[in-house]
Amino acid sequence: TVGNRNLSDCVACPAGFYCPDEGMTNGSVYACDAGFFCPAGMSVGSPAGYQCTLGHFCGGGNALPVACGPGLFQNETGQSVCKQCSPGLYCPGFSEQTRADGSLVCPAGYSCAAGSPSPSPCPPGFFSGYSGQGQCSACPIRFACLQFGTVVPAACPAGFFCDGVLPYPTPCPVATFGPLPGLGGASECTPCSAGMACSSLGLVVPTQVCRAGLWCLSGCNSSACGISDGAQFPAGLLNLSGPC
């Protein structure tokens, strides 16, 4: 200000600026350099010890570093802008809960694409067995990933097959059954046993006995799908002596 008589009448250069010359007025100060921050009283624009910190940016004229926002991080000091969050990480915005650079590692069962502010659970049909993944993996053949956020695929359940194409297990078709888990295709389902009928989808064991008087060959899809020779045979029996 005008009229100063003593050194004590001078004031410190304002925060965010620097004053390299004597006799400067408030209107002639210089903005702190990008990549640095300037507390009050700085005489240089890039003061030693005041580089912009991890997880922050300093675009110029900064009194303090500015925290990176959601989807962004900064793993280097002295930077003027934040970086897009890397794949395999998520960046909710710098806080005491994040790492120093403002990021967190994507947890198993989730994926974190570039720029993710939060992790995304793997949808049914996909899984992520490790942390730090940028994308989920398709559930492998013979396995099922039924839940959101699957970490470890489960064996395809009995009565179904998992071909790695559809996100959910597919039931064994009519006239077949699936006695064991881990089937990889419809061709691995077992034809219905002779003397029995499999009229429903997704059977683990045949559920119907062949109707009396009929011969039910392997692969029968109804209790009435057999061949009659006019004779009455007990239910559940196959006449091996007659024509098929």
Side-chain angles (χ1 to χ4, degrees), residues 49-236:
Y50 292 96
Q51 276 195 323
C52 208
T53 53
L54 297 176
H56 296 75
F57 72 99
C58 300
N62 289 83
L64 291 170
V66 180
C68 294
L72 302 172
F73 82 124
Q74 183 51 263
N75 58 356
E76 297 180 277
T77 59
Q79 301 303 305
S80 60
V81 295
C82 294
K83 301 176 182 178
Q84 185 182 54
C85 202
S86 300
L89 303 176
Y90 69 100
C91 302
F94 179 86
S95 71
E96 294 181 355
Q97 285 71 47
T98 65
R99 302 191 300 182
D101 62 5
S103 71
L104 291 167
V105 178
C106 199
Y110 292 75
S111 67
C112 298
S116 294
S118 60
S120 300
C122 294
F126 293 83
F127 78 106
S128 175
Y130 302 95
S131 59
Q133 301 302 302
Q135 61 183 14
C136 300
S137 300
C139 207
I141 188 172
R142 305 184 188 281
F143 288 87
C145 302
L146 302 179
Q147 307 296 328
F148 282 91
T150 295
V151 176
V152 180
C156 196
F160 294 77
F161 62 89
C162 299
D163 57 10
V165 176
L166 298 176
Y168 294 101
T170 303
C172 285
V174 169
T176 70
F177 66 105
L180 300 174
L183 301 182
S187 62
E188 296 181 12
C189 296
T190 303
C192 200
S193 306
M196 303 296 292
C198 302
S199 59
S200 301
L201 297 170
L203 293 178
V204 177
V205 294
T207 55
Q208 292 180 291
V209 178
C210 186
R211 286 171 53 181
L214 298 176
W215 305 339
C216 290
L217 306 180
S218 176
C220 191
N221 62 11
S222 167
S223 63
C225 74
I227 303 171
S228 173
D229 69 347
Q232 293 293 317
F233 294 99

Side-chain angles (χ1 to χ4, degrees), residues 215 233 238-243:
W215 305 339
F233 294 99
L238 172 69
N239 181 7
L240 297 178
S241 62

